[in-house]
């Protein structure tokens, strides 16, 4: 049985002091969830959020990392920095990073490899644009993204990853994918992993849905056989997140 994982992606929100205040609000709301609960926060918030969440079950994650160990890469943060700050997860290849900051599938692959090498748990994102959905190439696109994110991975490493399916048209738009749309793509991701890495790996890997998840739609989405939780943007900054973690 896969343990559900519900992760908040705070994106570029919350100063360090706001972050600590939000943790105080969310801690009681997310307590006693059967799911693994992760707060993925801006780099500068990791240390205060880790401290604020001490003594709880909440895990903390970063929103990005760089694939080199260290050196002259101004503005980037490394896996060791994230780990030493106390986080255990990292989001990789979010569509906002791909779209605004030019991250390629090859970057995503290198970042995921580095995260695993260092013992960080990657949440690796994929998702189609509205144009791609309308062109009828959603499944081809997603299968390509999944194959490229895991290129050169051993099956046991794939099993340690979380894949987040986030249709770009559903992010921050209030336009959630229907339960059927979300499930069929998450199933396609699992099937693709099964084809390449075998049934054991496919049954172990956790697949999240993300895109306008809220307190009203989470339970139905997360009850689908191939959806093992969610990656939540806007609603992760509100007490509603507690409801979502208990969905
Ligand atoms: P929203 O939940 O705000 O649509 O954002 C989804 C997302 O991008 C999570 O990574």
């Amino acid at each position: 049985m896969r343990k559900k994982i519900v992760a908040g992606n705070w994106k570029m929100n919350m100063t360090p002091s706001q972050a600590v205040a939000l943790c105080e609000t969310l801690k009681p709301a997310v307590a006693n969830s059967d799911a693994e609960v992760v707060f993925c926060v801006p780099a500068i918030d990791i240390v205060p959020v880790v401290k604020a969440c001490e003594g709880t079950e909440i895990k903390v994650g970063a929103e990005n990392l760089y694939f080199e160990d260290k050196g002259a890469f101004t503005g980037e943060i490394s896996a060791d920095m994230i780990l030493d700050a106390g986080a255990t997860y990292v989001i990789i290849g979010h569509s906002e990073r791909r779209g605004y900051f030019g991250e390629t599938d090859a970057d995503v692959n290198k970042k995921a490899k580095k995260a695993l090498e260092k013992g960080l748990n990657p949440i690796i994102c994929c998702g189609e644009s509205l144009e791609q959905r309308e062109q009828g190439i959603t499944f081809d696109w997603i299968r390509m993204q999944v194959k490229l994110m895991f290129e050169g991975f051993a099956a046991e490493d794939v099993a340690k990853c979380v894949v987040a399916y986030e249709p770009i048209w559903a992010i921050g738009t209030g336009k959630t994918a229907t339960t059927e749309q979300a499930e069929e793509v998450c199933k396609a991701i699992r099937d693709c992993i099964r084809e390449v890495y075998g049934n054991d790996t496919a049954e172990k890997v956790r697949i999240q849905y993300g895109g306008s998840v809220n307190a009203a739609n989470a339970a139905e989405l997360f009850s689908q056989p191939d959806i093992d939780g969610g990656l939540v943007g806007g609603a992760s900054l509100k007490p509603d997140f507690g409801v979502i973690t208990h969905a």
Side-chain angles (χ1 to χ4, degrees), residues 9 11 91 94-96 125 166 170-174 210-213 231-235:
N9 174 8
K11 308 195 178 185
I91 298 173
H94 191 280
S95 62
E96 287 149 18
C125 304
E166 298 206 306
I171 294 178
T173 56
S212 300
V213 173
L231 185 56
V232 184

Side-chain angles (χ1 to χ4, degrees), residues 8 12 71 79 81 84 90 101 111 118 120 130 137 148 161 240:
M12 197 175 76
M81 291 173 187
D84 191 59
V90 59
F101 304 104
K111 289 179 177 203
K118 296 288 185 175
L120 268 176
L130 185 59
I137 61 168
L148 292 177
C161 296
D240 275 14

Side-chain angles (χ1 to χ4, degrees), residues 20-162:
V20 170
L22 180 60
C23 288
E24 296 312 322
T25 305
L26 291 182
K27 276 195 289 188
V30 306
N32 305 314
S33 165
D34 290 335
E36 202 172 345
V37 175
V38 189
F39 294 173
C40 296
V41 306
I44 199 163
D45 295 339
I46 295 174
V47 168
V49 166
V50 166
K51 186 155 185 288
C53 294
E54 252 167 29
T56 74
E57 301 277 291
I58 299 163
K59 313 264 176 65
V60 180
E63 299 177 10
N64 183 29
L65 55 59
Y66 194 55
F67 51 72
E68 295 290 351
D69 282 338
K70 62 177 177 174
F73 305 102
T74 302
E76 294 295 322
I77 63 168
S78 71
D80 286 333
M81 291 173 187
I82 294 167
L83 282 163
D84 191 59
T88 52
Y89 277 86
V90 59
I91 298 173
I92 293 174
H94 191 280
S95 62
E96 287 149 18
R97 299 234 37 104
R98 294 176 188 256
Y100 298 135
F101 304 104
E103 272 187 26
T104 64
D105 289 308
D107 294 329
V108 171
N109 175 258
K110 284 196 262 187
K111 289 179 177 203
K113 268 192 193 135
K114 182 55 69 176
L116 282 173
E117 176 198 317
K118 296 288 185 175
L120 268 176
N121 303 298
I123 298 174
I124 317 171
C125 304
C126 60
E128 82 287 0
S129 66
L130 185 59
E131 192 184 10
Q132 290 168 326
R133 179 158 282 270
E134 287 171 352
Q135 288 168 335
I137 61 168
T138 296
F139 291 94
D140 301 301
W141 178 256
I142 297 293
R143 286 173 57 86
M144 183 196 72
Q145 284 190 315
V146 170
K147 286 182 180 178
L148 292 177
M149 70 175 69
F150 290 136
E151 199 179 69
F153 276 50
E156 74 230 42
D157 285 335
V158 174
K160 291 179 198 155
C161 296
V162 177

Side-chain angles (χ1 to χ4, degrees), residues 2 124 126 142-151 153-164 185-208 226 228:
R2 296 180 294 269
I124 317 171
C126 60
I142 297 293
R143 286 173 57 86
M144 183 196 72
Q145 284 190 315
V146 170
K147 286 182 180 178
L148 292 177
M149 70 175 69
F150 290 136
E151 199 179 69
F153 276 50
E156 74 230 42
D157 285 335
V158 174
K160 291 179 198 155
C161 296
V162 177
V163 178
V185 179
C186 290
K187 178 176 186 304
I189 292 169
R190 198 177 305 287
D191 288 344
C192 179
I193 291 170
R194 186 176 289 111
E195 282 166 37
V196 183
Y197 297 98
N199 192 54
D200 255 25
T201 305
E203 290 303 321
K204 280 186 192 146
V205 71
R206 292 184 292 177
I207 304 176
Q208 295 173 313
D226 290 292
D228 306 311

